[in-house]
């Protein structure tokens, strides 16, 4: 018998403690609330009521309860589950993910906060039932919290940020994406108390204006990652303020901030030399001049999203090729002024030869099969996007893939208009999506 009340059972003797802990944890998660046959199964293997002494010891071992991720059980998890876990784990629990657990609300999270006061990492992404009450509980009981994800918790208001700033002053990471009730007043309250923030994600916080960025600049000098995607009220003035106060910035998302101009790129170039990731999709006023200055000053750039930066030309690619040898991923989709010559410079550069992994050229209408020939020099290329590049052919893709067999190419081909029997007119056929 593998499982028995005898501590010398085969499984207890042959497997290391760490593996037994993982097995027990998996059993508890998989059967406690998601399998209607759990009672019968647990009894059949001798685990009912944890009567097996060895397994009982393991169940009470705090090391088994330091990290819990319930994402795979999100549809089954209700408040009572979180409360029971908090009572079992107590002060041992350091990391909990309730991502997508829409059945969890304020009451159960208050019980959790009271029982798990050593929690450091809490993911509440998509827990749409929670309100400011949850943040009050975290503020009161969870002073060691460092990482908090409140993405899409749409009932969160400025009051939550005030509470967090008062009780969670060790916070380093905060995600408030799509919490669209947040305003500059909430940001001011937050940053006054949480001055050690290193990452602040504010995607879709559409009420934020430049004054919110000024508050961030005044208090959060340790920031390395900022996300303002779709914060469409932000202008150059706010970005300039951020750059002047956050010199350690490594990742910045400004996608959808459509009011920005080269003044923002200039501020980044002059103040943030450690920048590695820049997302500026749909910032249609940015030009070659701004990206030239950026490339010449930010040599650590690794990932850039320039989709729909419709004014940039091959000149930007020349500057990136010369000054940014670490570039790994580049999106130029809908940059319709990019030509084969720009791809030539990119593919002949250090980053092209050694680093480039992802290149997106969707709707770059001037790109032809010649660009694919140039890209044969990019030996590390893994993914190439060519949707609606109407001058690229199947034959050109096949020739490139003969040299780069590992690369995945996504492309649409132009519609075909075959002749008909009457008048030579044709019928428009659907485009063909090809993934090679």
């Amino acid at each position: 018998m593998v499982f028995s009340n005898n501590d010398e059972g085969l499984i207890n003797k042959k497997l290391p403690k760490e593996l037994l802990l993982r097995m027990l944890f998996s059993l508890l998660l998989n059967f406690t609330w998601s399998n209607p046959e759990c009672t019968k199964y647990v009894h059949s293997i001798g685990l009912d009521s944890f009567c097996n002494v060895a397994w009982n010891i393991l169940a009470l071992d705090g090391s088994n309860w330091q990290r819990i991720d319930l994402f795979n059980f999100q549809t089954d998890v209700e408040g009572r589950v979180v409360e029971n876990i908090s009572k079992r784990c107590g002060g041992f629990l350091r990391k909990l993910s309730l991502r997508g657990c829409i059945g969890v609300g304020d009451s159960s999270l208050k019980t959790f906060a009271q029982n798990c006061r050593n929690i450091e990492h809490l993911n509440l992404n998509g827990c749409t039932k929670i309100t400011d009450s949850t943040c009050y509980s975290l503020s009161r009981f969870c002073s060691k919290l460092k990482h908090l994800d409140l993405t899409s918790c749409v009932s969160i208001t400025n009051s939550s940020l005030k509470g967090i700033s008062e009780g969670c002053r060790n916070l380093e990471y905060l995600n408030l994406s799509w919490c669209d009730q947040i305003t500059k007043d909430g940001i001011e309250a937050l940053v006054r108390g949480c001055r050690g923030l290193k990452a602040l994600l504010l995607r879709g916080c559409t009420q934020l204006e430049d004054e919110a960025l000024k508050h961030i600049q005044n208090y959060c000098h340790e920031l390395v990652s900022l996300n303002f995607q779709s914060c469409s009220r932000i202008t150059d003035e706010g970005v300039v303020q951020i750059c002047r106060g956050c010199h350690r910035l490594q990742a910045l998302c400004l996608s959808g901030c459509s009011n920005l101009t080269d003044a923002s790129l200039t501020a980044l170039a002059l103040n943030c030399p450690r920048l590695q990731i820049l997302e500026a999709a749909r910032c249609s006023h940015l030009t070659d001049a701004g990206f030239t200055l950026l490339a010449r000053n930010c040599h650590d750039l690794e990932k850039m999203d320039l989709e729909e930066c419709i004014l940039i030309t091959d000149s930007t690619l020349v500057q990136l090729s010369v000054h940014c040898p670490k570039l790994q991923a580049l999106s130029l989709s809908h940059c319709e002024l990019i030509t084969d010559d720009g791809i030539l410079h990119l593919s002949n550069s250090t980053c092209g030869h050694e680093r480039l992994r992802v290149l997106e050229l969707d709707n770059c209408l001037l790109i032809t099969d010649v660009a694919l020939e140039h890209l044969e020099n990019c030996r590390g290329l893994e993914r190439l996007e060519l949707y609606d590049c109407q001058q690229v052919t199947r034959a050109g893709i096949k020739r490139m893939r003969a040299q780069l067999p590992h690369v995945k190419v996504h492309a649409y081909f132009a519609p075909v208009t075959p002749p008909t029997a009457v008048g030579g007119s044709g019928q428009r056929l659907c485009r063909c999506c090809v993934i090679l």
Side-chain angles (χ1 to χ4, degrees), residues 194-206:
C194 300
R195 303 190 182 195
L197 277 171
K198 295 181 179 178
L200 181 59
L201 283 65
L202 299 166
R203 289 178 298 166
C205 294
T206 54

Side-chain angles (χ1 to χ4, degrees), residues 10-278:
L10 182 60
I11 193 170
N12 299 326
K13 294 170 61 177
K14 295 294 186 180
L15 295 181
K17 172 186 173 183
E18 291 76 11
L19 184 54
L20 289 171
L21 283 170
R22 289 182 177 274
M23 290 174 62
L24 176 59
F25 184 54
S26 180
L27 282 170
L28 291 172
L29 286 184
N30 278 286
F31 293 105
T32 301
W33 56 79
S34 64
N35 191 326
E37 297 295 320
C38 80
T39 304
K40 183 187 299 183
Y41 182 82
V42 169
H43 177 75
S44 70
I45 62 174
L47 286 178
D48 50 319
S49 303
F50 295 105
C51 60
N52 181 293
V53 176
W55 285 88
N56 188 40
I57 293 173
L58 289 175
L60 297 176
D61 189 331
S63 66
N64 194 33
W65 308 103
Q66 293 184 26
R67 295 177 298 276
I68 298 177
D69 187 345
L70 298 179
F71 177 70
N72 290 333
F73 311 94
Q74 56 181 294
T75 57
D76 302 302
V77 175
E78 298 177 351
R80 60 183 178 83
V81 173
V82 175
E83 293 176 17
N84 289 338
I85 286 177
S86 73
K87 294 171 184 177
R88 165 67 67 180
C89 301
F92 290 116
L93 190 62
R94 298 293 189 275
K95 182 176 181 180
L96 174 65
S97 176
L98 296 173
R99 182 165 63 103
C101 297
I102 59 175
V104 176
D106 293 328
S107 177
S108 55
L109 284 169
K110 180 178 180 180
T111 300
F112 163 82
Q114 291 172 328
N115 291 327
C116 301
R117 304 191 181 202
N118 291 323
I119 191 74
E120 297 176 356
H121 188 295
L122 181 61
N123 188 342
L124 300 176
N125 184 336
C127 296
T128 53
K129 284 187 176 181
I130 71 171
T131 70
D132 293 331
S133 177
T134 286
C135 292
Y136 300 154
S137 298
L138 295 175
S139 173
R140 182 178 178 185
F141 300 111
C142 302
S143 61
K144 297 182 180 180
L145 196 63
K146 295 181 179 179
H147 180 118
L148 179 60
D149 191 338
L150 295 171
T151 299
S152 298
C153 296
V154 293
S155 296
I156 295 297
T157 72
N158 293 335
S159 296
S160 286
L161 302 192
K162 185 176 185 298
I164 289 171
S165 70
E166 293 172 352
C168 303
R169 300 204 166 201
N170 293 314
L171 205 62
E172 297 178 357
Y173 174 102
L174 179 61
N175 193 338
L176 294 168
S177 295
W178 315 114
C179 298
D180 56 6
Q181 297 191 58
I182 300 300
T183 71
K184 60 182 176 61
D185 295 330
I187 296 299
E188 181 180 14
L190 172 73
V191 297
R192 283 182 180 273
C194 300
R195 303 190 182 195
L197 277 171
K198 295 181 179 178
L200 181 59
L201 283 65
L202 299 166
R203 289 178 298 166
C205 294
T206 54
Q207 296 194 56
L208 296 184
E209 299 174 334
D210 291 335
E211 193 171 347
L213 278 65
K214 183 177 180 181
H215 295 316
I216 295 171
Q217 174 251 334
N218 286 336
Y219 297 103
C220 295
H221 305 301
E222 304 297 316
L223 278 167
V224 296
S225 181
L226 273 170
N227 192 318
F228 296 113
Q229 180 183 330
S230 300
C231 297
S232 56
R233 299 186 186 184
I234 290 174
T235 72
D236 292 327
E237 181 182 352
V239 175
V240 169
Q241 294 285 347
I242 285 290
C243 293
R244 288 176 177 172
C246 305
H247 300 292
R248 300 185 181 186
L249 207 58
Q250 297 177 16
L252 176 64
C253 180
L254 298 170
S255 294
C257 299
S258 56
N259 295 317
L260 302 183
T261 72
D262 286 345
S264 291
L265 296 181
T266 299
L268 277 170
L270 299 180
N271 295 282
C272 303
R274 303 181 187 182
L275 194 65
Q276 297 176 8
I277 300 172
L278 176 63

